[in-house]
Amino acid sequence: MVNFANVTKLDRHIEILLLENDCVIVPGLGGFVAHHVDARYDEQDGLFLPPYRTLGFNPQLTMNDSLLVQSYIAAYDLSYPEALQQIENEVDEIYHTLENEGALELNDLGRLSTNAEKKLEFEPFESGILTPPYYGLSSFDFPLLKPKIQSPAQPAMPSHPVRHGMVYIDTANGGERRISISMRVLRDMAVAAVLLIAVLLIAFPTPNRNGLPEQQIKSGMFYNIFDSSDTPNVSAQFKPMRDVGRAANVSAHYWAIVMASHVTENNAKLYASQLQDRGFKEARVYEGSGSIKVLYGHFPSQEEAYAQLKSLNGSAGFKDAWIIEIGK
């Protein structure tokens, strides 16, 4: 019979302290040290076992580190000497029980006993100590798969043609071998070719109305950040300048700052309107070659355009902007 000593306070404090500490020293008794055990596979039983923390005991660790004493002070509102005295009383009771009974159990920790040489020994519970990160983990069966023995018999030749590609060997006509073409594979290849052409047309648009290729394909930071379905009244609120190259007093050949490119018309109108509300009055919608853009400014030279972009780099929306040449 194992005696349950009246040490509910002591073992409860040790268990709680081990939640955040790997070592708890009981002055005059020894130190309880937690060890991490990795998940492992038991080949004999075919089980995967989860990780857990187990507990060891070192009777050489008897120096007071105040961790347990501070726990008593916080729990029972005691002074330091009073808490230390209470711990010493419980340790004396443990030694008294070990001397009379030879062993005792510490709740949720393990079994403490003395050997023939009157030295302390500790046996932890197999389930380990309380560890919230491992709560609910359990073992599960996973037996090893046995290798399948191959039959020495030769596989029979298929009665139907094997159609692994577009061209295959057809032996369905009385064993006569002839080359056939799979129309299904041919149809799939035609569909793939159409899709490839569509992707190439999107990635490389046709030349613009003036016979010149698109100078640069960029979307900037504005691409598709607005949903055109959410802005039904944008057309009534903002009238874009579509052919800015022909506006009054503006040269047909100039440079501008591109704020957004390859966006929907409603998104472009909304973004240009927001820029104008922020004080950038020269923001406008431009229907260029192959896409709708939001432009800012008219600059007679590329150098002036880059200088203006550099000065506005700290403003929202200009960080990802770039320069385009119009009307070349």
Side-chain angles (χ1 to χ4, degrees), residues 220-228 230 260 263 267 270-271 274:
M221 51 81 68
F222 181 68
Y223 180 75
N224 205 24
I225 62 174
F226 295 103
D227 187 355
S228 58
D230 296 334
V263 293
N267 284 351
L270 178 60
Y271 189 40
Q274 290 180 351

Side-chain angles (χ1 to χ4, degrees), residues 232-251:
N233 298 321
V234 173
S235 298
Q237 299 173 2
F238 178 77
K239 295 182 179 180
M241 182 188 299
R242 292 197 174 275
D243 193 356
V244 295
R246 295 172 183 166
N249 300 325
V250 177
S251 173

Side-chain angles (χ1 to χ4, degrees), residues 39-102:
R40 61 211 181 280
Y41 179 71
D42 188 339
E43 294 186 3
Q44 182 176 358
D45 295 332
L47 288 175
F48 269 112
L49 302 175
Y52 72 101
R53 289 171 77 217
T54 186
L55 195 61
F57 179 74
N58 188 349
Q60 304 298 324
L61 300 177
T62 57
M63 183 177 296
N64 180 20
D65 61 356
S66 298
L67 184 63
L68 185 61
V69 179
Q70 293 295 336
S71 179
Y72 271 70
I73 292 174
Y76 309 119
D77 193 20
L78 301 174
S79 64
Y80 190 92
E82 291 173 341
L84 185 60
Q85 183 61 49
Q86 185 166 339
I87 294 173
E88 291 178 355
N89 293 339
E90 293 188 22
V91 170
D92 290 341
E93 186 174 350
I94 290 175
Y95 278 117
H96 179 74
T97 303
L98 290 175
E99 184 179 354
N100 293 332
E101 306 293 338

Side-chain angles (χ1 to χ4, degrees), residues 293-316:
K293 301 177 177 62
V294 178
L295 303 183
Y296 174 76
H298 301 78
F299 304 99
S301 67
Q302 187 179 21
E303 291 74 14
E304 294 183 27
Y306 275 109
Q308 182 68 20
L309 177 59
K310 184 177 181 181
S311 64
L312 295 174
N313 192 32
S315 301

Side-chain angles (χ1 to χ4, degrees), residues 194-261:
V194 172
L195 291 177
L196 179 60
I197 293 174
V199 172
L200 292 176
L201 288 177
I202 296 174
F204 303 97
T206 57
N208 58 19
R209 298 191 181 108
N210 297 328
L212 296 176
E214 179 72 17
Q215 296 192 15
Q216 195 170 4
I217 299 177
K218 273 194 176 182
S219 58
M221 51 81 68
F222 181 68
Y223 180 75
N224 205 24
I225 62 174
F226 295 103
D227 187 355
S228 58
S229 62
D230 296 334
T231 57
N233 298 321
V234 173
S235 298
Q237 299 173 2
F238 178 77
K239 295 182 179 180
M241 182 188 299
R242 292 197 174 275
D243 193 356
V244 295
R246 295 172 183 166
N249 300 325
V250 177
S251 173
H253 178 223
Y254 62 95
W255 282 262
I257 299 175
V258 182
M259 304 297 296
S261 177

Side-chain angles (χ1 to χ4, degrees), residues 3-301:
N3 180 51
F4 289 87
N6 186 21
V7 291
T8 55
K9 291 182 180 180
L10 183 61
D11 52 24
R12 180 58 58 187
H13 280 271
I14 295 174
E15 182 182 14
I16 294 175
L17 289 173
L18 285 173
L19 290 174
E20 298 181 354
N21 302 273
D22 289 332
C23 180
V24 177
I25 297 177
V26 180
L29 182 65
F32 292 89
V33 183
H35 302 281
H36 173 82
V37 179
D38 294 329
R40 61 211 181 280
Y41 179 71
D42 188 339
E43 294 186 3
Q44 182 176 358
D45 295 332
L47 288 175
F48 269 112
L49 302 175
Y52 72 101
R53 289 171 77 217
T54 186
L55 195 61
F57 179 74
N58 188 349
Q60 304 298 324
L61 300 177
T62 57
M63 183 177 296
N64 180 20
D65 61 356
S66 298
L67 184 63
L68 185 61
V69 179
Q70 293 295 336
S71 179
Y72 271 70
I73 292 174
Y76 309 119
D77 193 20
L78 301 174
S79 64
Y80 190 92
E82 291 173 341
L84 185 60
Q85 183 61 49
Q86 185 166 339
I87 294 173
E88 291 178 355
N89 293 339
E90 293 188 22
V91 170
D92 290 341
E93 186 174 350
I94 290 175
Y95 278 117
H96 179 74
T97 303
L98 290 175
E99 184 179 354
N100 293 332
E101 306 293 338
L104 63 88
E105 283 191 3
L106 301 176
N107 290 331
D108 299 324
L109 297 177
R111 183 174 183 272
L112 194 64
S113 61
T114 55
N115 56 21
E117 299 176 357
K118 300 298 182 181
K119 293 183 178 180
L120 293 177
E121 292 183 346
F122 179 75
E123 181 181 355
F125 291 141
E126 292 184 359
S127 59
I129 59 176
L130 180 63
T131 306
Y134 302 150
Y135 179 76
L137 298 180
S138 61
S139 60
F140 62 93
D141 294 326
F142 197 89
L144 292 176
L145 298 177
K146 296 181 179 180
K148 187 177 181 180
I149 300 176
Q150 296 290 341
S151 174
Q154 294 295 330
M157 294 298 293
S159 58
H160 298 287
V162 180
R163 304 179 181 182
H164 295 300
M166 184 174 68
V167 180
Y168 62 95
I169 303 299
D170 188 353
T171 59
N173 188 15
E176 181 181 353
R177 299 169 62 88
R178 62 181 177 179
I179 298 177
S180 298
I181 298 177
S182 173
M183 297 304 297
R184 178 180 179 183
V185 175
L186 188 61
R187 184 178 65 252
D188 293 342
M189 292 180 64
V191 173
V194 172
L195 291 177
L196 179 60
I197 293 174
V199 172
L200 292 176
L201 288 177
I202 296 174
F204 303 97
T206 57
N208 58 19
R209 298 191 181 108
N210 297 328
L212 296 176
E214 179 72 17
Q215 296 192 15
Q216 195 170 4
I217 299 177
K218 273 194 176 182
S219 58
M221 51 81 68
F222 181 68
Y223 180 75
N224 205 24
I225 62 174
F226 295 103
D227 187 355
S228 58
S229 62
D230 296 334
T231 57
N233 298 321
V234 173
S235 298
Q237 299 173 2
F238 178 77
K239 295 182 179 180
M241 182 188 299
R242 292 197 174 275
D243 193 356
V244 295
R246 295 172 183 166
N249 300 325
V250 177
S251 173
H253 178 223
Y254 62 95
W255 282 262
I257 299 175
V258 182
M259 304 297 296
S261 177
H262 290 80
V263 293
T264 62
E265 184 176 359
N266 281 346
N267 284 351
K269 292 176 181 179
L270 178 60
Y271 189 40
S273 177
Q274 290 180 351
L275 288 172
Q276 292 178 357
D277 293 340
R278 287 168 48 198
F280 301 103
K281 300 301 182 183
E282 294 189 33
R284 63 202 179 278
V285 177
Y286 176 80
E287 186 175 351
S289 57
S291 69
I292 297 178
K293 301 177 177 62
V294 178
L295 303 183
Y296 174 76
H298 301 78
F299 304 99
S301 67

